[in-house]
Amino acid sequence: MTGGRLTVADFQSISKKRKIVSLTAYTAPVAAALDPYCDLLLVGDSVAMVLYGMQGTQGANIEMMVRHGKAVVSHSSNAMVVVDLPYGTYEHSEELAVKSAKEIIKKTGACGVKLEGGMAIESQIKSITSAGIPVLGHIGLLPQKFSNTSEFRITGRDEIEADQLQKDLEAVTTAGAFGVVLEGIIEPVARQLSINARIPLIGIGASVSCHGQILVTDDLIGLYADFTPKFVKKYANVQDIIQKAAQAYSADVISQKFPDKSHCFWPDKK
Ligand code: KIV
């Protein structure tokens, strides 16, 4: 590490010494607050649900990812920033995948992109990494496959699923990904994948055996109230703090306690 932003090489060497710390970020102030404590900030397509109130992540698009990616890159200086390729921008062809990845990297200045899928998108990952863009894989529960969180399902529960996960990890690794997000996978399978992995595995609902962890920041701070998955640990209740502040403000405005003299502008003294 040279004192600047973490690189793919730093990320991989850190994973051999301690667990990788990563969180999602979509906005400038949150990126700035998280940056000193994270190795990786993910501008996830969960932004569509968390900030825009959509039912799933399928509503995210390149323009949305670029807008939030730019804000996060420009207000962080330590963590690697990776931006999700949104639904519909890489699955159909290698050319489209490379075009989308290049656009996101060029317009945001992020370090890399994340794509959801294993064997099915091996050639897309290979094409993007061959174009010199680092790729973070994502296997297991793939939110882009569903239009609603109620359809989300944990995987790895039988031998066929466990075997498929192993094949997906192998495909993503062979295609040149520098790491992989493992989402919603039962513990024994996640543990076995972590033992066999040749690149760092970042878990979300995939147990402590992974080489690092990621959570959606709004879940972690208790700001996103629509849906709290079992694997989330809430470290704060920001929604409660916001409500209390709004309630106190409302009372002050109505009773004319706010603004008081200290909040007013006065004529210059002669
Ligand atoms: O979009 C996202 O926030 C993600 C994380 C949940 C890993 O993909």
PDB file of all heavy atoms in Angstrom, residues 56-76:
ATOM      1  N   GLY A  56     -37.286  -3.632  -6.484  1.00  0.00           N
ATOM      2  CA  GLY A  56     -36.116  -4.495  -6.681  1.00  0.00           C
ATOM      3  C   GLY A  56     -35.009  -3.681  -7.329  1.00  0.00           C
ATOM      4  O   GLY A  56     -35.139  -2.452  -7.474  1.00  0.00           O
ATOM      5  N   THR A  57     -33.939  -4.386  -7.764  1.00  0.00           N
ATOM      6  CA  THR A  57     -32.796  -3.656  -8.343  1.00  0.00           C
ATOM      7  C   THR A  57     -32.897  -3.511  -9.864  1.00  0.00           C
ATOM      8  O   THR A  57     -32.071  -2.840 -10.472  1.00  0.00           O
ATOM      9  CB  THR A  57     -31.466  -4.375  -8.009  1.00  0.00           C
ATOM     10  OG1 THR A  57     -31.523  -5.709  -8.540  1.00  0.00           O
ATOM     11  CG2 THR A  57     -31.223  -4.447  -6.514  1.00  0.00           C
ATOM     12  N   GLN A  58     -33.909  -4.140 -10.458  1.00  0.00           N
ATOM     13  CA  GLN A  58     -33.998  -4.124 -11.939  1.00  0.00           C
ATOM     14  C   GLN A  58     -34.237  -2.731 -12.516  1.00  0.00           C
ATOM     15  O   GLN A  58     -34.010  -2.500 -13.693  1.00  0.00           O
ATOM     16  CB  GLN A  58     -35.107  -5.078 -12.411  1.00  0.00           C
ATOM     17  CG  GLN A  58     -34.754  -6.536 -12.182  1.00  0.00           C
ATOM     18  CD  GLN A  58     -35.856  -7.488 -12.656  1.00  0.00           C
ATOM     19  OE1 GLN A  58     -36.951  -7.058 -13.004  1.00  0.00           O
ATOM     20  NE2 GLN A  58     -35.558  -8.779 -12.644  1.00  0.00           N
ATOM     21  N   GLY A  59     -34.692  -1.809 -11.681  1.00  0.00           N
ATOM     22  CA  GLY A  59     -34.971  -0.453 -12.160  1.00  0.00           C
ATOM     23  C   GLY A  59     -33.735   0.436 -12.267  1.00  0.00           C
ATOM     24  O   GLY A  59     -33.808   1.550 -12.789  1.00  0.00           O
ATOM     25  N   ALA A  60     -32.596  -0.071 -11.785  1.00  0.00           N
ATOM     26  CA  ALA A  60     -31.366   0.742 -11.894  1.00  0.00           C
ATOM     27  C   ALA A  60     -30.934   0.801 -13.356  1.00  0.00           C
ATOM     28  O   ALA A  60     -31.200  -0.123 -14.130  1.00  0.00           O
ATOM     29  CB  ALA A  60     -30.264   0.116 -11.049  1.00  0.00           C
ATOM     30  N   ASN A  61     -30.286   1.892 -13.746  1.00  0.00           N
ATOM     31  CA  ASN A  61     -29.767   1.982 -15.116  1.00  0.00           C
ATOM     32  C   ASN A  61     -28.383   2.641 -15.075  1.00  0.00           C
ATOM     33  O   ASN A  61     -27.921   3.078 -14.010  1.00  0.00           O
ATOM     34  CB  ASN A  61     -30.739   2.752 -16.030  1.00  0.00           C
ATOM     35  CG  ASN A  61     -31.042   4.137 -15.480  1.00  0.00           C
ATOM     36  OD1 ASN A  61     -30.178   4.790 -14.899  1.00  0.00           O
ATOM     37  ND2 ASN A  61     -32.275   4.590 -15.650  1.00  0.00           N
ATOM     38  N   ILE A  62     -27.741   2.723 -16.240  1.00  0.00           N
ATOM     39  CA  ILE A  62     -26.360   3.226 -16.255  1.00  0.00           C
ATOM     40  C   ILE A  62     -26.304   4.672 -15.778  1.00  0.00           C
ATOM     41  O   ILE A  62     -25.424   5.048 -15.005  1.00  0.00           O
ATOM     42  CB  ILE A  62     -25.746   3.066 -17.662  1.00  0.00           C
ATOM     43  CG1 ILE A  62     -25.591   1.577 -17.933  1.00  0.00           C
ATOM     44  CG2 ILE A  62     -24.414   3.836 -17.767  1.00  0.00           C
ATOM     45  CD1 ILE A  62     -24.484   1.157 -18.859  1.00  0.00           C
ATOM     46  N   GLU A  63     -27.248   5.465 -16.196  1.00  0.00           N
ATOM     47  CA  GLU A  63     -27.248   6.888 -15.813  1.00  0.00           C
ATOM     48  C   GLU A  63     -27.301   7.034 -14.271  1.00  0.00           C
ATOM     49  O   GLU A  63     -26.572   7.833 -13.680  1.00  0.00           O
ATOM     50  CB  GLU A  63     -28.469   7.537 -16.498  1.00  0.00           C
ATOM     51  CG  GLU A  63     -28.503   9.039 -16.462  1.00  0.00           C
ATOM     52  CD  GLU A  63     -29.436   9.559 -15.398  1.00  0.00           C
ATOM     53  OE1 GLU A  63     -30.561   9.017 -15.285  1.00  0.00           O
ATOM     54  OE2 GLU A  63     -29.049  10.492 -14.686  1.00  0.00           O
ATOM     55  N   MET A  64     -28.141   6.201 -13.646  1.00  0.00           N
ATOM     56  CA  MET A  64     -28.266   6.224 -12.170  1.00  0.00           C
ATOM     57  C   MET A  64     -26.947   5.798 -11.511  1.00  0.00           C
ATOM     58  O   MET A  64     -26.459   6.427 -10.564  1.00  0.00           O
ATOM     59  CB  MET A  64     -29.385   5.246 -11.772  1.00  0.00           C
ATOM     60  CG  MET A  64     -29.811   5.284 -10.339  1.00  0.00           C
ATOM     61  SD  MET A  64     -31.021   3.956  -9.989  1.00  0.00           S
ATOM     62  CE  MET A  64     -32.531   4.628 -10.599  1.00  0.00           C
ATOM     63  N   MET A  65     -26.340   4.728 -12.050  1.00  0.00           N
ATOM     64  CA  MET A  65     -25.102   4.212 -11.460  1.00  0.00           C
ATOM     65  C   MET A  65     -23.966   5.220 -11.633  1.00  0.00           C
ATOM     66  O   MET A  65     -23.133   5.385 -10.741  1.00  0.00           O
ATOM     67  CB  MET A  65     -24.713   2.862 -12.094  1.00  0.00           C
ATOM     68  CG  MET A  65     -25.747   1.750 -11.959  1.00  0.00           C
ATOM     69  SD  MET A  65     -26.466   1.559 -10.319  1.00  0.00           S
ATOM     70  CE  MET A  65     -25.064   1.136  -9.343  1.00  0.00           C
ATOM     71  N   VAL A  66     -23.948   5.910 -12.766  1.00  0.00           N
ATOM     72  CA  VAL A  66     -22.903   6.902 -13.019  1.00  0.00           C
ATOM     73  C   VAL A  66     -23.054   8.075 -12.054  1.00  0.00           C
ATOM     74  O   VAL A  66     -22.085   8.550 -11.449  1.00  0.00           O
ATOM     75  CB  VAL A  66     -22.945   7.389 -14.493  1.00  0.00           C
ATOM     76  CG1 VAL A  66     -22.133   8.657 -14.682  1.00  0.00           C
ATOM     77  CG2 VAL A  66     -22.450   6.286 -15.425  1.00  0.00           C
ATOM     78  N   ARG A  67     -24.298   8.537 -11.885  1.00  0.00           N
ATOM     79  CA  ARG A  67     -24.542   9.693 -11.004  1.00  0.00           C
ATOM     80  C   ARG A  67     -24.031   9.395  -9.585  1.00  0.00           C
ATOM     81  O   ARG A  67     -23.297  10.180  -8.987  1.00  0.00           O
ATOM     82  CB  ARG A  67     -26.050   9.978 -10.975  1.00  0.00           C
ATOM     83  CG  ARG A  67     -26.384  11.261 -10.280  1.00  0.00           C
ATOM     84  CD  ARG A  67     -27.887  11.584 -10.299  1.00  0.00           C
ATOM     85  NE  ARG A  67     -28.579  11.117 -11.478  1.00  0.00           N
ATOM     86  CZ  ARG A  67     -29.674  10.345 -11.447  1.00  0.00           C
ATOM     87  NH1 ARG A  67     -30.173   9.952 -10.311  1.00  0.00           N
ATOM     88  NH2 ARG A  67     -30.269   9.984 -12.555  1.00  0.00           N
ATOM     89  N   HIS A  68     -24.384   8.203  -9.066  1.00  0.00           N
ATOM     90  CA  HIS A  68     -23.986   7.870  -7.691  1.00  0.00           C
ATOM     91  C   HIS A  68     -22.513   7.460  -7.626  1.00  0.00           C
ATOM     92  O   HIS A  68     -21.831   7.763  -6.636  1.00  0.00           O
ATOM     93  CB  HIS A  68     -24.923   6.799  -7.134  1.00  0.00           C
ATOM     94  CG  HIS A  68     -26.314   7.325  -6.951  1.00  0.00           C
ATOM     95  ND1 HIS A  68     -26.661   8.136  -5.900  1.00  0.00           N
ATOM     96  CD2 HIS A  68     -27.405   7.236  -7.743  1.00  0.00           C
ATOM     97  CE1 HIS A  68     -27.922   8.502  -6.033  1.00  0.00           C
ATOM     98  NE2 HIS A  68     -28.406   7.976  -7.143  1.00  0.00           N
ATOM     99  N   GLY A  69     -22.037   6.801  -8.672  1.00  0.00           N
ATOM    100  CA  GLY A  69     -20.618   6.411  -8.714  1.00  0.00           C
ATOM    101  C   GLY A  69     -19.704   7.624  -8.637  1.00  0.00           C
ATOM    102  O   GLY A  69     -18.714   7.637  -7.905  1.00  0.00           O
ATOM    103  N   LYS A  70     -20.060   8.674  -9.400  1.00  0.00           N
ATOM    104  CA  LYS A  70     -19.239   9.899  -9.394  1.00  0.00           C
ATOM    105  C   LYS A  70     -19.199  10.529  -8.000  1.00  0.00           C
ATOM    106  O   LYS A  70     -18.153  10.972  -7.530  1.00  0.00           O
ATOM    107  CB  LYS A  70     -19.857  10.922 -10.370  1.00  0.00           C
ATOM    108  CG  LYS A  70     -19.267  10.879 -11.749  1.00  0.00           C
ATOM    109  CD  LYS A  70     -20.113  11.618 -12.728  1.00  0.00           C
ATOM    110  CE  LYS A  70     -19.686  13.040 -12.940  1.00  0.00           C
ATOM    111  NZ  LYS A  70     -20.452  13.641 -14.063  1.00  0.00           N
ATOM    112  N   ALA A  71     -20.343  10.567  -7.348  1.00  0.00           N
ATOM    113  CA  ALA A  71     -20.417  11.171  -6.006  1.00  0.00           C
ATOM    114  C   ALA A  71     -19.535  10.402  -5.022  1.00  0.00           C
ATOM    115  O   ALA A  71     -18.808  11.001  -4.215  1.00  0.00           O
ATOM    116  CB  ALA A  71     -21.869  11.178  -5.516  1.00  0.00           C
ATOM    117  N   VAL A  72     -19.569   9.081  -5.117  1.00  0.00           N
ATOM    118  CA  VAL A  72     -18.809   8.250  -4.167  1.00  0.00           C
ATOM    119  C   VAL A  72     -17.305   8.343  -4.454  1.00  0.00           C
ATOM    120  O   VAL A  72     -16.498   8.507  -3.534  1.00  0.00           O
ATOM    121  CB  VAL A  72     -19.319   6.781  -4.211  1.00  0.00           C
ATOM    122  CG1 VAL A  72     -18.405   5.850  -3.425  1.00  0.00           C
ATOM    123  CG2 VAL A  72     -20.748   6.716  -3.680  1.00  0.00           C
ATOM    124  N   VAL A  73     -16.934   8.285  -5.727  1.00  0.00           N
ATOM    125  CA  VAL A  73     -15.494   8.368  -6.061  1.00  0.00           C
ATOM    126  C   VAL A  73     -14.939   9.724  -5.628  1.00  0.00           C
ATOM    127  O   VAL A  73     -13.866   9.800  -5.019  1.00  0.00           O
ATOM    128  CB  VAL A  73     -15.265   8.141  -7.579  1.00  0.00           C
ATOM    129  CG1 VAL A  73     -13.827   8.480  -7.961  1.00  0.00           C
ATOM    130  CG2 VAL A  73     -15.599   6.700  -7.962  1.00  0.00           C
ATOM    131  N   SER A  74     -15.688  10.788  -5.875  1.00  0.00           N
ATOM    132  CA  SER A  74     -15.128  12.118  -5.589  1.00  0.00           C
ATOM    133  C   SER A  74     -15.111  12.446  -4.094  1.00  0.00           C
ATOM    134  O   SER A  74     -14.472  13.407  -3.692  1.00  0.00           O
ATOM    135  CB  SER A  74     -15.881  13.196  -6.363  1.00  0.00           C
ATOM    136  OG  SER A  74     -17.218  13.218  -5.922  1.00  0.00           O
ATOM    137  N   HIS A  75     -15.778  11.653  -3.262  1.00  0.00           N
ATOM    138  CA  HIS A  75     -15.769  11.918  -1.818  1.00  0.00           C
ATOM    139  C   HIS A  75     -15.159  10.764  -1.029  1.00  0.00           C
ATOM    140  O   HIS A  75     -15.500  10.546   0.138  1.00  0.00           O
ATOM    141  CB  HIS A  75     -17.176  12.268  -1.333  1.00  0.00           C
ATOM    142  CG  HIS A  75     -17.532  13.662  -1.736  1.00  0.00           C
ATOM    143  ND1 HIS A  75     -17.870  13.981  -3.021  1.00  0.00           N
ATOM    144  CD2 HIS A  75     -17.510  14.820  -1.043  1.00  0.00           C
ATOM    145  CE1 HIS A  75     -18.075  15.284  -3.104  1.00  0.00           C
ATOM    146  NE2 HIS A  75     -17.859  15.826  -1.921  1.00  0.00           N
ATOM    147  N   SER A  76     -14.273  10.019  -1.672  1.00  0.00           N
ATOM    148  CA  SER A  76     -13.515   8.976  -0.966  1.00  0.00           C
ATOM    149  C   SER A  76     -12.089   9.013  -1.503  1.00  0.00           C
ATOM    150  O   SER A  76     -11.858   9.467  -2.628  1.00  0.00           O
ATOM    151  CB  SER A  76     -14.152   7.598  -1.227  1.00  0.00           C
ATOM    152  OG  SER A  76     -14.185   7.328  -2.614  1.00  0.00           O
TER     153      SER A  76
END
